[in-house]
Amino acid sequence: MTSLFGASRTPTSAPSSPAGNLFPPLFTPPPLRPRPYPEVAARLESIKNSIRNELALQNAQELMSKVNDKCYAKCIPKPGASLSGSEEKCLSQCMDRYLEAFNIISKSYVLRLKKDKLDLQTPSL
Amino acid sequence: MSDALTAPKLDAASQKELEQFLETEQAQARVQTQIHTLTSLCWDKCVGSISSGFSGKEQSCLENCVGRFFDASDYLIRRVEQQRAMAGAQ
């Protein structure tokens, strides 16, 4: 599922993150402490991974559902007996545009969060 | 989890770490949800007909969309607070 969204994105989206990760990390995880029991550490890691995967899946599903809604509205104003070639072309362009918009919004959202945080630290009043 | 009975128990430190991990992931999930909502809102507001790229107007509309959304929210909150202060002064 992630390859659908992660692979062919523009260089504007999180250049340093690993392939398949659409979103730049907003929070840096705390450093790992050494653990006496490796099997406990492994279990903890596997729980974390399944949570990460679950959230990533939810996120991808939400994105796909939005793409479907928006692009259906834009590209298929009058449903015919089958999808036409031009409708398919519109759908594929629309999906690219929606993901592009999503990346623009993510970037400006993160910038805004950072700005608001700075404003809180150094109040201008 | 099918291996819940055979898997090693998490010690207190690991449970604490898992709790912190969950908190961060939940915060991040809330952010993602908000980004989905904003993308939908800004898409409806900014994007016209579909082509192979955004026009300059669409691009700058999308770039400004989030900032103005939060400005509008801040403005409205300030206004409500002002009105409340005025009502309290009377």
Side-chain angles (χ1 to χ4, degrees):
Chain A
M1 202 67 179
T2 42
S3 63
L4 242 181
F5 307 107
S8 65
R9 289 324 302 149
T10 52
T12 52
S13 68
S16 60
S17 59
N21 183 7
L22 185 61
F23 311 105
L26 292 171
F27 310 96
T28 43
L32 287 173
R33 278 164 283 119
R35 212 169 293 284
Y37 307 110
E39 65 274 19
V40 171
R43 170 136 175 84
L44 182 62
E45 213 32 57
S46 97
I47 295 173
K48 281 185 183 179
N49 274 333
S50 53
I51 291 168
R52 282 192 198 102
N53 289 339
E54 186 57 38
L55 287 172
L57 183 66
Q58 269 181 25
N59 203 30
Q61 279 171 343
E62 173 67 16
L63 195 55
M64 263 325 284
S65 146
K66 282 267 161 53
V67 165
N68 200 15
D69 287 355
K70 300 296 181 187
C71 296
Y72 183 80
K74 286 257 189 244
C75 296
I76 306 170
K78 289 180 181 147
S82 67
L83 278 187
S84 72
S86 60
E87 283 170 340
E88 285 182 352
K89 184 170 174 246
C90 176
L91 284 173
S92 76
Q93 283 185 333
C94 177
M95 178 162 165
D96 289 348
R97 294 292 78 67
Y98 198 83
L99 298 182
E100 198 180 325
F102 185 86
N103 283 324
I104 295 171
I105 302 302
S106 305
K107 246 171 72 176
S108 44
Y109 185 94
V110 172
L111 276 177
R112 178 68 182 220
L113 283 191
K114 281 188 183 147
K115 182 181 158 281
D116 286 355
K117 230 182 183 174
L118 273 179
D119 287 352
L120 275 180
Q121 281 161 2
T122 53
S124 55
L125 296 173
Chain B
M1 303 237 169
S2 56
D3 62 344
L5 292 175
T6 52
K9 274 206 152 181
L10 295 185
D11 57 294
S14 299
Q15 283 186 16
K16 186 114 208 302
E17 186 179 327
L18 192 57
E19 266 168 41
Q20 280 172 353
F21 172 81
L22 266 179
E23 249 169 60
T24 344
E25 291 296 314
Q26 277 169 344
Q28 184 136 14
R30 280 195 296 275
V31 166
Q32 301 289 14
T33 305
Q34 230 179 333
I35 292 176
H36 281 298
T37 309
L38 281 167
T39 305
S40 171
L41 200 95
C42 297
W43 173 268
D44 291 342
K45 209 173 264 291
C46 297
V47 180
S49 59
I50 297 301
S51 66
S52 57
F54 288 132
S55 71
K57 262 188 188 168
E58 287 171 330
Q59 181 83 25
S60 60
C61 178
L62 287 168
E63 281 166 2
N64 293 329
C65 185
V66 171
R68 295 304 78 69
F69 180 86
F70 285 112
D71 286 348
S73 162
D74 292 347
Y75 174 79
L76 290 170
I77 288 168
R78 276 203 310 275
R79 211 176 124 72
V80 168
E81 278 171 356
Q82 270 173 8
Q83 282 174 343
R84 275 224 309 226
M86 272 165 67
Q90 275 167 9

